[in-house]
Amino acid sequence: MAEAKTPGHGPLTGVRVVELAGIGPGPFAAMLLGDLGADVVRVDRPGGQRLAIDPRYDVTNRNKRSLIADLKSDAGRNTVLDLVERADILIEGYRPGVAERLGVGPEPCHARNPGLVYGRMTGWGQEGPLAHRAGHDIGYIALTGTLGMIGAPDTPPPAPANLLGDYAGGSLYLVVGVLAALHHARATGTGQVVDAAIVDGTAHLSAMIHGMLAAGGWHDRRAANLLDGGCPYYGTYETADGKHMAVGALEPQFYDEFTRLLGLTDFADARKDWTRWGDLREAVAARFRTRTRDEWTAVFEGTDACVAPVLSLREAPDHPHLAARGTFTVVGGVTQPAPAPRFSVTPTAVRGGPAQPGADTAVVARDWGISGLRHD
């Protein structure tokens, strides 16, 4: 029997979130909450954000509404506290102490709303020798050891965009934290502060690797392990047209299929013989260079060899599997990832394009019941 879907736009329908505008992981976390159905009001500062893109294309501001408030003024501060009084969650990404100096730190917010979940997003955390230092994703993941795991041993570690630190180690941990704290607040009536530091989250992501390191199953150097490019049947290879294929044929049955389709059955017994890995890698690389990426894609299509083409950002939405699932969507002419994960009873949706700074003051005032709310 099919499950009956509930009205609304996701499992967080009815949850109210105040986002104090910033860049990077804070906005992405608030977008994820909005994607899940929360009513997110972004408090933008006059003049906008440095490093920000054109607001019309800032996908991390979808499923939100925006008003402008100058937190350095009494009126702006009172606007935020009025929102806080009606909110379930607040997210801020300032350096430690800045929110307190602006008068919107945890103490005045909890005075207005004791059940508020106060989410703090930083790189270094609220405490520690580096807490007040500036930083960006690449520096945070550098200190945790995760950046040092990536890349070839004879080249500097590559910059993995800002996905590993900002979004995986930062935004996702903030969302997990505020939702866990919200569960507690609704059970007890007591809010709390969630200190989400990118260094903490990124370190936590490497839990399995640390276990393997302690057990002697991981070498503390790059490209020397099963999952970091050290293994010739787990990595990427260049094709005849300068593109690439990704190989993840770890299990015996997948490896057998991989070597058979690649025409390298002479290496069928080399899977566990690391003394032959150098020769295997050279043979695999040479074979992949004989055909184009699309030709190899056709060879491995429909098999369990665990081989896939490496697609570009523009190519990915058109892949048949992703297209069939609707993994990407187009909103306002902008192709973007659809909300994830998926829910059988409370489906999510992109309800609107990026919030434009200050465009929603009147409707937020009406919906949140704040009389006199205005542009600051």
Side-chain angles (χ1 to χ4, degrees):
M1 180 181 297
E3 296 169 302
K5 292 180 170 56
T6 60
H9 298 284
L12 295 186
T13 297
V15 173
R16 287 178 167 177
V17 178
V18 175
E19 175 198 355
L20 302 185
I23 60 172
F28 186 88
M31 180 205 77
L32 180 51
L33 294 172
D35 284 355
L36 296 177
D39 180 3
V40 180
V41 172
R42 176 178 167 96
V43 180
D44 280 296
R45 66 184 67 178
Q49 304 288 325
R50 289 178 293 178
L51 297 183
I53 64 173
D54 185 325
R56 295 174 298 170
Y57 301 100
D58 191 348
V59 173
T60 64
N61 281 331
R62 73 185 186 192
N63 286 339
K64 303 178 184 180
R65 298 184 289 185
S66 169
L67 57 85
I68 293 175
D70 182 358
L71 298 188
K72 295 181 180 179
S73 71
D74 290 339
R77 185 179 311 112
N78 289 334
T79 291
V80 170
L81 293 176
D82 285 343
L83 291 167
V84 160
E85 189 172 335
R86 296 155 173 82
D88 299 290
I89 297 168
L90 178 140
I91 289 175
E92 61 94 356
Y94 303 135
R95 291 198 208 186
V98 171
E100 283 81 354
R101 291 196 295 274
L102 293 172
V104 292
E107 187 173 344
C109 286
H110 282 140
R112 293 286 289 268
N113 181 355
L116 179 75
V117 173
Y118 195 105
R120 315 199 81 163
M121 182 76 261
T122 61
W124 305 115
Q126 297 298 311
E127 300 173 336
L130 297 178
H132 294 275
R133 290 277 297 276
H136 280 294
D137 177 296
I138 196 165
Y140 308 139
I141 66 175
L143 288 196
T144 62
T146 49
L147 179 60
M149 293 166 50
I150 303 170
D154 54 350
T155 62
N162 66 333
L163 303 179
L164 177 57
D166 277 356
Y167 296 147
S171 304
L172 297 185
Y173 278 86
L174 176 61
V175 169
V176 169
V178 297
L179 292 182
L182 179 62
H183 175 76
H184 175 266
R186 290 190 163 177
T188 66
T190 303
Q192 60 184 300
V193 176
V194 178
D195 175 5
I198 294 172
V199 290
D200 295 347
T202 307
H204 193 261
L205 289 171
S206 65
M208 181 189 77
I209 305 300
H210 277 278
M212 295 173 69
L213 184 66
W218 189 274
H219 302 286
D220 196 14
R221 60 184 187 273
R222 284 182 285 143
N225 300 282
L226 189 66
L227 303 176
D228 66 353
C231 173
Y233 46 91
Y234 194 91
T236 57
Y237 290 91
E238 186 176 3
T239 55
D241 53 351
K243 297 180 181 179
H244 299 86
M245 298 293 289
V247 177
L250 292 176
E251 289 80 2
Q253 66 274 28
F254 304 151
Y255 177 82
D256 290 344
E257 184 83 338
F258 168 64
T259 54
R260 181 183 68 81
L261 291 169
L262 207 58
L264 294 176
T265 53
D266 289 347
F267 288 92
D269 60 349
R271 178 175 165 271
K272 286 191 173 182
D273 185 358
W274 64 267
T275 65
R276 299 187 64 193
W277 278 11
D279 292 337
L280 174 58
R281 185 186 306 280
E282 290 181 7
V284 171
R287 287 293 290 149
F288 271 121
R289 284 195 294 266
T290 64
R291 300 186 186 182
T292 67
R293 185 192 66 181
D294 290 348
E295 288 172 335
W296 281 118
T297 299
V299 168
F300 290 101
E301 185 73 26
T303 76
D304 280 342
C306 299
V307 177
V310 178
L311 303 182
S312 72
L313 290 174
R314 293 192 186 278
E315 291 175 316
D318 293 325
H319 186 276
H321 179 77
L322 303 185
R325 286 183 58 81
T327 299
F328 291 86
T329 187
V330 179
V331 179
V334 178
T335 300
Q336 57 197 273
R342 305 179 187 209
F343 300 85
S344 62
V345 175
T346 55
T348 58
V350 179
R351 304 184 300 279
Q356 301 305 293
D360 306 298
T361 303
V363 70
V364 170
R366 181 198 68 201
D367 292 350
W368 286 46
I370 303 176
S371 60
L373 187 62
R374 60 178 178 80
H375 289 290
D376 191 28

